[in-house]
Amino acid sequence: MSANMQFAMREIALLFEEKENIKVEIMTGASGKLTHQILNGAPFHLFVSADTLFTRKIIKVGKGIGQQYIYAIGSLVLWTNRKDLKNKNLFNLMNDSTVNKISLPNPTTAPYGFQAKLALEKAGLWKKISSKVVIGESIAQATQYIYSGVCEVGFVSKSVLFSPELKNKGYWEEVPSHLYEPIHQGFIITHWGQENNMKTSTSFSQFMKTPAVKDILLKNGYQLPDKE
């Protein structure tokens, strides 16, 4: 499961466990790294990704079954945990001499990192601030760099800041939507899931489409797609 979904998935998994009496084990990481593991036979029943490119890749090579389901649309935000930066324009501030380190999820393996780099390139900032960038292995690590003060500011998913641990902490602003592509997030049943427990895999897949799950996603800062 993609790192940006870890907090929402806690609630989703708990509801599913109560409904079906089936224990859910959550494995979290950057979508690209999880894709690599699935392609190499990792025993995951389902893959909840931060985009649709990695899920399509898995389906294309026969490691995923059927079509993916787009469950949410994520938003990219800039976040700081420094009180002195509150209510300042964080996007413009990145090129300022007062900001020395900027956290970014790995653009190669983390979809939110890819979109963050795209936004910086479109804004004409990437070449100016790339020497300040500190790459996190996943959005979780990039978030930790900001929370701990290693980086003054950085790019994270809006959903991460709706978690109980981070809600009302620091200051954030949305990255202008015209600077990056909509982050459609998809999930699939893996070939391993089909082979080893198709009944439970299908049950969880159907549960992801229920109103209860959609309510959780909205509560955690996601938008819902017009079409699945």
Side-chain angles (χ1 to χ4, degrees), residues 189-228:
I189 297 174
T190 66
H191 179 70
W192 192 92
Q194 179 190 41
E195 291 291 312
N196 289 272
N197 197 333
M198 186 59 180
K199 183 179 178 182
T200 299
S201 299
T202 301
S203 180
F204 192 88
S205 176
Q206 291 301 319
F207 186 70
M208 283 290 291
K209 303 174 185 179
T210 61
V213 169
K214 292 178 180 180
D215 287 345
I216 290 172
L217 292 170
L218 287 170
K219 186 177 70 173
N220 279 272
Y222 293 100
Q223 300 176 58
L224 299 179
D226 294 331
K227 295 181 180 180
E228 295 177 358

Side-chain angles (χ1 to χ4, degrees), residues 15-219:
L15 280 182
F16 182 77
E17 289 173 348
E18 291 174 351
K19 179 177 180 290
E20 301 290 341
N21 196 29
I22 297 171
K23 180 67 177 175
V24 177
E25 185 178 359
I26 300 172
M27 302 295 292
T28 303
S31 294
K33 287 205 166 187
L34 293 173
T35 296
H36 179 74
Q37 292 172 19
I38 291 168
L39 295 179
N40 284 279
F44 303 147
H45 292 87
L46 297 104
F47 175 39
V48 180
S49 178
D51 71 356
T52 58
L53 295 176
F54 287 122
T55 39
R56 283 204 298 268
K57 181 178 181 179
I58 291 170
I59 291 170
K60 186 176 180 180
V61 300
K63 293 290 187 176
I65 66 166
Q67 293 183 326
Q68 68 175 318
Y69 168 72
I70 299 174
Y71 63 92
I73 302 172
S75 297
L76 185 65
V77 301
L78 272 166
W79 180 54
T80 181
N81 200 31
R82 278 182 40 172
K83 293 180 180 179
D84 59 314
L85 299 182
K86 186 176 181 180
N87 296 324
K88 294 188 177 182
N89 188 313
L90 298 180
F91 205 82
N92 292 338
L93 197 63
M94 286 187 294
N95 196 34
D96 193 273
S97 59
T98 59
V99 171
N100 297 308
K101 292 183 180 180
I102 301 164
S103 180
L104 192 81
N106 190 327
T108 303
T109 58
Y112 280 85
F114 177 86
Q115 294 299 336
K117 185 181 178 184
L118 178 65
L120 290 167
E121 289 173 340
K122 284 190 175 182
L125 287 171
W126 177 251
K127 289 183 179 179
K128 296 177 182 178
I129 61 94
S130 59
S131 62
K132 300 181 180 182
V133 169
V134 178
I135 299 294
E137 181 178 317
S138 66
I139 206 161
Q141 189 174 67
T143 301
Q144 181 59 32
Y145 286 157
I146 306 163
Y147 182 75
S148 64
V150 171
C151 298
E152 292 98 330
V153 65
F155 291 87
V156 300
S157 68
K158 185 177 180 180
S159 58
V160 168
L161 303 181
F162 277 67
S163 68
E165 291 88 341
L166 297 178
K167 197 168 185 178
N168 301 320
K169 298 229 174 125
Y171 164 71
W172 61 270
E173 67 180 39
E174 296 211 30
V175 175
S177 59
H178 69 276
L179 292 177
Y180 67 98
E181 299 167 358
I183 305 175
H184 292 95
Q185 303 193 186
F187 82 83
I188 56 171
I189 297 174
T190 66
H191 179 70
W192 192 92
Q194 179 190 41
E195 291 291 312
N196 289 272
N197 197 333
M198 186 59 180
K199 183 179 178 182
T200 299
S201 299
T202 301
S203 180
F204 192 88
S205 176
Q206 291 301 319
F207 186 70
M208 283 290 291
K209 303 174 185 179
T210 61
V213 169
K214 292 178 180 180
D215 287 345
I216 290 172
L217 292 170
L218 287 170
K219 186 177 70 173

